[in-house]
Amino acid sequence: MLEVNEIFGPTIQGEGKRIGNPSIFVRFGRCNMSCEGFGVEYKTPNGTTKFSCDSYYASDSAFAPLWDRYESSEQLIKNVNKILPSYKVDIVLTGGEPLLYWKDIQFQNFLKYYIDLGYHITIETNGSLDIALEHNWQKKILFSISVKLSNAKEPISKRININALNDIIKFQDEAYLKFVIGNNFLSQAKEEIDIILSNINSDVDVYLMPLGNTAQMIDKNSIDVIQMAIDNGFKYSDRLHIRAWNNKRGV
């Protein structure tokens, strides 16, 4: 069973290695983290106030009754195809945490269908889950790995899985790491990133992104995060979707 929070596009990829590319997004429901440290306040359908990341409506199972459920990949493909433009776009699987569905044959069938048609597939993941990478066609998937640092307020044993990171990076050499950072967390972030990189067995691109779910917050954090990237030989990724639309859904 595939649980999908929303399908939307065409829009642009707002961050990471494929930033600016026309894209269709498939946002899966459920996550193995809550990331209350990111401080986005929201209310669940029953009125409970919580804090999480800016995609809380996909990560918090309190919203599960609002998600669509697909028994087969064919059903999901049909709905994605309804919004595909006449030109090739990227297809981005995000969440929540889409790799929670990795072992589901319907998830794999969905991926292979579009890869066989020549679409570029990105999976946005927190990189904490062990997955089996065993087919050559899976090497065409770009893994955008948003590893959570201590500012997410998740235990380190839950958010950092070095074996999983090494397995993905070794298997797919375009895979990259990205870290969300606020301007009050720079030195601690650098220490934590250095520890992670010291345990990665392959060269990997590292992107730093400013924390924020509004254009104003991105502006507040971006200059210091850019400087941190320059000082340490990392890459900077803006978050264009937030600059353009704040945290509006479906764009």
Side-chain angles (χ1 to χ4, degrees):
M1 174 75 72
L2 303 179
E3 296 177 289
V4 176
N5 172 261
E6 59 183 343
I7 302 168
F8 63 93
T11 183
I12 60 163
Q13 169 60 278
E15 61 189 42
K17 191 171 282 192
R18 303 282 293 181
I19 192 169
N21 281 23
S23 303
I24 297 291
F25 282 78
V26 182
R27 186 182 299 280
F28 286 82
R30 301 200 185 280
C31 191
N32 60 329
M33 300 187 197
S34 59
C35 296
E36 66 177 30
F38 289 150
V40 176
E41 182 177 349
Y42 67 96
K43 290 186 182 296
T44 65
N46 70 4
T48 301
T49 298
K50 293 184 178 180
F51 295 89
S52 184
C53 66
D54 52 19
S55 57
Y56 58 84
Y57 46 84
S59 59
D60 190 338
S61 60
F63 292 88
L66 304 177
W67 302 339
D68 293 322
R69 287 161 178 78
Y70 294 88
E71 298 284 353
S72 70
S73 60
E74 288 82 5
Q75 293 173 315
L76 181 54
I77 289 166
K78 181 179 179 180
N79 281 346
V80 171
N81 285 348
K82 288 178 182 178
I83 62 172
L84 284 179
S86 57
Y87 56 90
K88 279 280 179 25
V89 294
D90 287 8
I91 297 178
V92 183
L93 279 60
T94 187
E97 176 49 65
L99 291 188
L100 287 170
Y101 298 92
W102 184 260
K103 295 179 181 179
D104 191 313
I105 186 62
Q106 300 305 322
F107 186 81
Q108 294 296 321
N109 288 345
F110 176 84
L111 291 170
K112 191 172 187 301
Y113 173 85
Y114 286 108
I115 286 174
D116 287 347
L117 289 176
Y119 284 88
H120 190 284
I121 302 290
T122 297
I123 294 181
E124 303 274 359
T125 175
N126 59 38
S128 67
L129 300 174
D130 293 297
I131 60 172
L133 295 157
E134 49 196 8
H135 304 293
N136 282 333
W137 62 264
Q138 292 170 337
K139 293 184 177 182
K140 296 181 180 180
I141 301 167
L142 177 63
F143 289 90
S144 174
I145 311 172
S146 185
V147 180
K148 300 301 180 279
L149 301 176
S150 63
N151 60 339
K153 294 188 178 177
E154 293 283 354
I156 189 170
S157 60
K158 189 175 184 180
R159 58 185 171 78
I160 305 296
N161 184 339
I162 294 298
N163 288 336
L165 295 178
N166 275 314
D167 286 347
I168 293 173
I169 293 166
K170 180 180 179 181
F171 182 82
Q172 211 284 332
D173 57 12
E174 290 296 314
Y176 63 99
L177 304 179
K178 60 183 183 181
F179 300 93
V180 177
I181 300 170
N183 63 1
N184 61 348
F185 185 66
L186 301 173
S187 60
Q188 180 66 29
K190 175 61 166 56
E191 292 178 14
E192 294 181 24
I193 292 170
D194 283 348
I195 291 171
I196 292 168
L197 294 179
S198 71
N199 287 282
I200 299 298
N201 299 327
S202 307
D203 291 335
V204 62
D205 286 334
V206 175
Y207 288 76
L208 305 184
M209 302 193 307
L211 178 68
N213 68 327
T214 66
Q216 184 179 14
M217 289 181 68
I218 295 294
D219 285 340
K220 176 183 177 182
N221 288 306
S222 60
I223 296 300
D224 288 330
V225 175
I226 289 170
Q227 191 60 52
M228 180 179 171
I230 293 169
D231 291 343
N232 295 282
F234 299 145
K235 299 184 179 184
Y236 173 80
S237 170
D238 210 86
R239 307 180 76 190
L240 298 182
H241 53 301
I242 294 176
R243 284 201 186 275
W245 299 293
N246 288 312
N247 198 28
K248 183 179 178 180
R249 293 181 61 181
V251 289

